[in-house]
Amino acid sequence: MHELDPLAWPNAPAWAIAIGTLGRCLIFGSLLMFSCSALAWAISFKNALLGRLGAVCLTLGALGLLGAFGCLLTLFVTDQFEFSYIFSHSDKLTELRYKVAAVWSGQEGSFLLWATGSSIFALLAARRTGQYRRWFSVAYAVFLGSLAGILAYESPFHLNLLAGRPILPPDGRGMTPSLLNYWITIHPPTIFLGFGSLTVIYCWALSALAESQLDAWAKMIRPWAITSLALLGLGLCMGGFWAYETLGWGGFWAWDPVENASFVPWLLCVALIHGLFVQLAKGKWHFGNVLLAGSTLIAFVYGTFLTRSGFLADTSVHSFAQMDRSALRLLIGMLSVGIVSFLSLWIMRLRQAKRMAKVPVEDSPSEGLFHKHAFYGLAVWLSVGLGLATAFGMSVPLFMTLLGRQTKVVDEALYHKVVVWFFIPIVVLMGIGPYLGWRGMSARALAIRLSTIFWLTLGGLGLIMLWIKNPEHGVGIDIADTVDFPFGLKVPLLPWMAFLIGISLFGFLANGWRVIDVARRSRASIGGLIMHVGVIVTLAGLIISRGFQKKQQFYVRQDQPSFALGYAISYKGRTKDYLDRNNHVLFDMEGNGERFQVEPSLYYIPQEDNKPPSPMVWPSIHRHPFYDVYFTLGALLFEATDPIPFKVGQQQIFDGILITYNKMVRKGEAGMAGTKFFADVTLKSAKGEAHARPSLAIAKGNLDYTPARVDDQYFISLVSMDAADKTAYLQFQYASPRYPVELFYKPMTILVWLGAGIMTLGGIVATFYRRSALRGAAKSKPAHATERTPQS
């Protein structure tokens, strides 16, 4: 009774209250420091003292947010449930790694993680911005100050108060069960570091516009953009792996709004990096690149608004709590100010450049039709186009809400129909681009350079298709399968997949060959080529594993094996109680020349208000070098049908059984305890005719049901009875509970994992060999010591 009576709960310990108070004070102190930093830097023109003051305040503010994160982490690890956020996202039984991850498992903590990641990059980048430091620091301080303001409302340090005193509940509610996976410990920190790095790109671009210096900026920002690209790409892949291993739908990517909110900034980073190469090599695209740089963070803040505002609450696999209204207004204000200030400054500088009427530098005489900068331009436009299409798709629920219609996400199939037309030219460009020169070349010269790659692609594709069509070692595809195209067209799957695989193979071989070719001459170039290889390998894995997958739905009885995709599946037991979240249900699988055991997770979460327990499941994946056997389990099924109303004399057919309801029989007085109602039923099937009399009895405070046996598979129960018109509500139940199963055969999923690793390696290599720009930036003079000069 002590644990159930809040009045008997002890007061929260003073030391924990002090840490929570410190966390709140650090957030408000950071807000003050960022305000002072922005003001000091804004008025610091030719005043080094104010610049130093602004730098100190920015550093103190960033350290304050890091300290607030440390305070929250301490409170989670020590089970301080007097704080509402900790009470809602942790409990005493949660393992230490999940207590750490619980810090960012909810809305308030994820905002603090975002602010922490952005603070880390402020500490890393601010001293290296050179002549751009002044307005970079102003913009960065305003941004971090906005996040601190949001955290002042969406605070993770609110206390549970009872009669004005902070109380310590004996336990918390625990983390959302679907998050209890090791990926939560590494995926959010990685992707939020990527989001934090976008702040560097945006603020540096804004500073370049403010200083009207768009030349030196390009070389200085490139390694930071590559870092953002690598972190976001790795975070996206981690999210896909998490979904694959926990959601049970057999895929890595479903175009969920939260996935898209990360994917769009990544695409804009891709466009930016290719644009920077052209600017550095040809002196072009200054204004286009700075606009791309600013759009990366704006795109993510917009995605954050969509996913945290409540518009997508019923349209995403992710769980969202609607933000505090004041915090939401701050987020909208941050987004609006970011867009308006950046675009206004961009338009002003563009007009100034046009008024100066500078004569553009002419390119060197062309030696052919194929130019590297032209292909880079196509890559930029395709990346931006794909980003805009994705952003439009994820915004559809918002548009429908504003129009007063019921929200609905864009179907995954529609995304695939649109995206494929971006995928094909992008991969072709990734294959051809590395072989082009800045001066250009003729079609014949390019064909000669790519001829070896072309023939290797044809040969490799032939071998791959032979393997695919081999029923013993390949995927054994059905040649009658088709794929849906726009306008209702259906195209045979095999040639379409062969085309997509061929495109991917061409891009892979072209970039792999180029890595070997240039490794000795230009190590700075191989990072990007390796990233190309990683992206192509990942895309190939997604295409093959989805396009050639096989799927079958069926049921498994505890006393009888089932058969699917060439396997015999037999139930073998479970490891724990069904209320234990560590419970696994064991199945033996035998067939296709192998025998193994799968162990999907299934447990039930008790609910309040006498609601039935809620099932929680995780799939089991049996991995092979060339394919996965993906086994996803549903909750135990006891009822074969919903209650079916029968009038006297009515007949219905279920699973080959003709059911005839003959009459109602009552024993006892209506409404009195002990009275029984019987449904007299005739059952006809191929096995013969039988009679059954399921019944229900009125007991004290409830009803007692007595089902009747139909055969070795089913019982029939009388669920309720209308005494007035003698309508019986009958329900078929399984004699032995059944497990609904969805079994997938997923070929070549290893490519997705391998591609993610290659892509990350490429990002590390590219950043390493471009790091000299960082050292050079750190040595250049800050903005308050330089004069501004217009730059076209």
Side-chain angles (χ1 to χ4, degrees):
M1 293 298 294
H2 176 79
E3 291 191 353
L4 297 177
D5 183 10
L7 292 174
W9 291 347
N11 290 331
W15 67 265
I17 298 296
I19 291 179
T21 303
L22 175 61
R24 288 196 298 272
C25 290
L26 286 172
I27 289 175
F28 282 101
S30 294
L31 177 57
L32 177 61
M33 288 295 101
F34 293 135
S35 301
C36 292
S37 177
L39 179 62
W41 275 112
I43 62 176
S44 69
F45 187 63
K46 293 187 177 181
N47 190 322
L49 181 60
L50 285 175
R52 285 195 292 271
L53 175 62
V56 170
C57 289
L58 182 62
T59 300
L60 290 176
L63 291 175
L65 290 178
L66 292 172
F69 184 88
C71 290
L72 186 60
L73 177 61
T74 301
L75 295 173
F76 261 103
V77 170
T78 55
D79 295 331
Q80 298 307 308
F81 303 122
E82 65 269 29
F83 294 93
S84 301
Y85 181 72
I86 300 172
F87 174 79
S88 300
H89 295 87
S90 185
D91 59 21
K92 288 183 177 179
L93 296 179
T94 300
E95 298 97 318
L96 178 60
R97 59 175 175 165
Y98 292 133
K99 287 181 180 179
V100 173
V103 173
W104 51 76
S105 64
Q107 182 147 270
E108 296 91 334
S110 63
F111 269 104
L112 183 55
L113 181 64
W114 183 14
T116 302
S118 300
S119 297
I120 290 172
F121 274 94
L123 297 173
L124 292 174
R127 295 173 60 87
R128 302 175 184 272
T129 52
Q131 62 182 314
Y132 301 98
R133 188 171 185 182
R134 178 189 176 200
W135 292 110
F136 174 91
S137 299
V138 170
Y140 219 122
V142 170
F143 174 80
L144 287 178
S146 300
L147 285 183
I150 290 173
L151 286 167
Y153 291 101
E154 291 279 340
S155 174
F157 296 107
H158 288 311
L159 287 164
N160 290 315
L161 298 176
L162 182 65
R165 69 181 181 94
I167 56 173
L168 178 61
D171 206 352
R173 293 175 179 169
M175 189 187 295
T176 302
S178 59
L179 298 180
L180 289 167
N181 181 275
Y182 67 94
W183 283 112
I184 196 176
T185 64
I186 53 178
H187 163 63
T190 302
I191 197 112
F192 272 97
L193 276 175
F195 299 150
S197 69
L198 295 177
T199 315
V200 175
I201 301 175
Y202 173 88
C203 295
W204 215 324
L206 187 69
S207 177
L209 287 171
E211 295 292 337
S212 194
Q213 292 285 346
L214 303 183
D215 276 328
W217 166 83
K219 185 175 182 181
M220 295 164 68
I221 198 65
R222 183 165 59 178
W224 297 98
I226 294 172
T227 300
S228 293
L229 186 71
L231 285 171
L232 287 174
L234 180 59
L236 285 168
C237 291
M238 286 181 173
F241 300 150
W242 189 358
Y244 184 66
E245 293 184 354
T246 60
L247 294 183
W249 51 273
F252 295 90
W253 190 266
W255 300 98
D256 185 83
V258 168
E259 296 170 345
N260 293 338
S262 306
F263 184 53
V264 173
W266 184 83
L267 287 170
L268 295 175
C269 268
V270 170
L272 170 63
I273 289 170
H274 288 83
L276 289 174
F277 276 104
V278 174
Q279 180 175 341
L280 292 170
K282 305 296 290 183
K284 294 183 173 183
W285 300 0
H286 294 77
F287 285 98
N289 287 334
V290 79
L291 181 62
L292 283 172
S295 66
T296 56
L297 181 65
I298 289 172
F300 174 67
V301 176
Y302 171 70
T304 302
F305 159 72
L306 278 182
T307 56
R308 305 303 178 101
S309 60
F311 288 111
L312 307 180
D314 300 321
T315 59
S316 172
V317 299
H318 297 77
S319 177
F320 305 101
Q322 188 167 347
M323 290 178 65
D324 174 271
R325 286 189 174 272
S326 297
L328 181 59
R329 291 190 188 102
L330 271 174
L331 181 64
I332 295 173
M334 181 171 70
L335 176 62
S336 302
V337 170
I339 294 174
V340 172
S341 60
F342 192 93
L343 286 181
S344 298
L345 194 54
W346 184 81
I347 292 171
M348 182 178 71
R349 295 302 185 207
L350 184 60
R351 287 179 174 176
Q352 286 178 354
K354 290 182 177 180
R355 283 199 302 268
M356 292 177 68
K358 285 190 175 181
V359 179
V361 177
E362 295 293 337
D363 291 331
S364 300
S366 173
E367 295 181 359
L369 298 175
F370 292 90
H371 301 267
K372 180 168 283 191
H373 67 268
F375 271 62
Y376 275 13
L378 287 173
V380 168
W381 281 110
L382 287 168
S383 300
V384 172
L386 178 55
L388 291 175
T390 305
F392 181 84
M394 74 177 185
S395 302
V396 165
L398 172 62
F399 300 151
M400 297 179 74
T401 300
L402 296 177
L403 293 173
R405 300 170 59 183
Q406 185 175 359
T407 58
K408 181 182 178 182
V409 294
V410 175
D411 186 71
E412 180 186 5
L414 181 57
Y415 274 110
H416 290 165
K417 290 177 182 178
V418 173
V419 167
V420 69
W421 303 110
F422 290 94
F423 163 79
I424 294 171
I426 285 174
V427 176
V428 171
L429 289 175
M430 281 196 287
I432 296 176
Y435 292 85
L436 298 174
W438 292 110
R439 292 175 60 84
M441 62 177 64
S442 65
R444 184 173 183 276
L446 178 62
I448 293 173
R449 298 194 72 177
L450 291 172
S451 60
T452 302
I453 304 299
F454 177 77
W455 293 115
L456 286 174
T457 299
L458 285 182
L461 180 61
L463 294 174
I464 290 172
M465 298 312 296
L466 286 175
W467 174 76
I468 287 173
K469 295 184 69 175
N470 188 318
E472 293 184 7
H473 305 291
V475 299
I477 186 173
D478 186 348
I479 60 174
D481 289 343
T482 60
V483 61
D484 293 332
F485 263 51
F487 310 111
L489 297 177
K490 290 187 178 293
V491 174
L493 176 63
L494 186 58
W496 176 241
M497 288 295 295
F499 175 71
L500 294 180
I501 293 171
I503 293 291
S504 302
L505 184 60
F506 169 77
F508 170 78
L509 291 174
N511 283 274
W513 189 285
R514 195 64 176 156
V515 168
I516 298 172
D517 188 33
V518 305
R520 296 180 181 178
R521 295 184 286 106
S522 178
R523 292 183 178 180
S525 301
I526 65 173
L529 295 171
I530 293 173
M531 291 187 77
H532 281 182
V533 171
V535 170
I536 292 168
V537 171
T538 300
L539 291 174
L542 293 172
I543 290 169
I544 296 172
S545 64
R546 184 61 182 268
F548 286 144
Q549 78 173 12
K550 298 177 183 178
K551 179 175 71 172
Q552 188 169 344
Q553 296 176 321
F554 57 97
Y555 297 95
V556 178
R557 292 173 52 178
Q558 293 185 353
D559 57 352
Q560 181 178 317
S562 297
F563 300 89
L565 300 184
Y567 292 99
I569 301 99
S570 304
Y571 170 80
K572 289 301 176 183
R574 51 188 169 87
T575 59
K576 303 281 185 179
D577 184 84
Y578 278 119
L579 295 178
D580 190 327
R581 71 177 180 87
N582 294 311
N583 177 57
H584 295 271
V585 186
L586 310 179
F587 295 88
D588 278 345
M589 297 188 63
E590 185 173 3
N592 298 319
E594 60 179 341
R595 182 174 183 176
F596 55 91
Q597 188 174 82
V598 291
E599 301 179 0
S601 176
L602 168 63
Y603 73 98
Y604 289 84
I605 305 169
Q607 301 293 303
E608 298 177 353
D609 302 326
N610 296 320
K611 294 180 180 178
S614 175
M616 181 61 60
V617 297
W618 281 284
S620 180
I621 305 171
H622 184 68
R623 303 183 190 275
H624 294 73
F626 298 111
Y627 64 91
D628 286 351
V629 177
Y630 189 97
F631 190 103
T632 182
L633 186 66
L636 266 172
L637 290 180
F638 296 91
E639 293 82 19
T641 67
D642 293 327
I644 305 171
F646 280 82
K647 300 288 187 181
V648 174
Q650 183 178 346
Q651 294 182 329
Q652 290 197 43
I653 296 177
F654 167 73
D655 198 14
I657 303 171
L658 176 65
I659 309 110
T660 304
Y661 172 45
N662 302 314
K663 60 181 178 178
M664 178 194 79
V665 178
R666 187 185 72 202
K667 290 186 178 181
E669 294 296 326
M672 300 296 293
T675 299
K676 276 191 173 184
F677 293 89
F678 297 84
D680 188 86
V681 178
T682 301
L683 306 165
K684 290 183 180 180
S685 67
K687 298 179 181 178
E689 182 176 320
H691 289 270
R693 299 186 74 189
S695 67
L696 63 85
I698 300 176
K700 292 183 179 179
N702 57 17
L703 298 174
D704 289 336
Y705 303 93
T706 304
R709 187 86 183 205
V710 176
D711 53 24
D712 61 342
Q713 294 193 62
Y714 301 108
F715 286 98
I716 188 171
S717 292
L718 176 61
V719 177
S720 63
M721 175 76 74
D722 188 332
D725 63 4
K726 300 180 181 180
T727 298
Y729 289 82
L730 302 175
Q731 183 178 47
F732 278 84
Q733 298 165 334
Y734 293 116
S736 175
R738 301 188 180 191
Y739 290 95
V741 174
E742 197 167 28
L743 188 66
F744 294 83
Y745 166 84
K746 303 282 295 183
M748 299 308 294
T749 55
I750 191 173
L751 293 180
V752 182
W753 296 81
L754 185 61
I758 296 172
M759 187 165 47
T760 304
L761 174 63
I764 294 172
V765 171
T767 304
F768 178 80
Y769 284 114
R770 304 290 180 186
R771 71 192 188 283
S772 60
L774 304 180
R775 291 197 296 265
K779 296 177 182 178
S780 60
K781 294 181 180 181
H784 59 255
T786 62
E787 295 290 343
R788 292 187 299 169
T789 56
Q791 174 63 53
S792 63

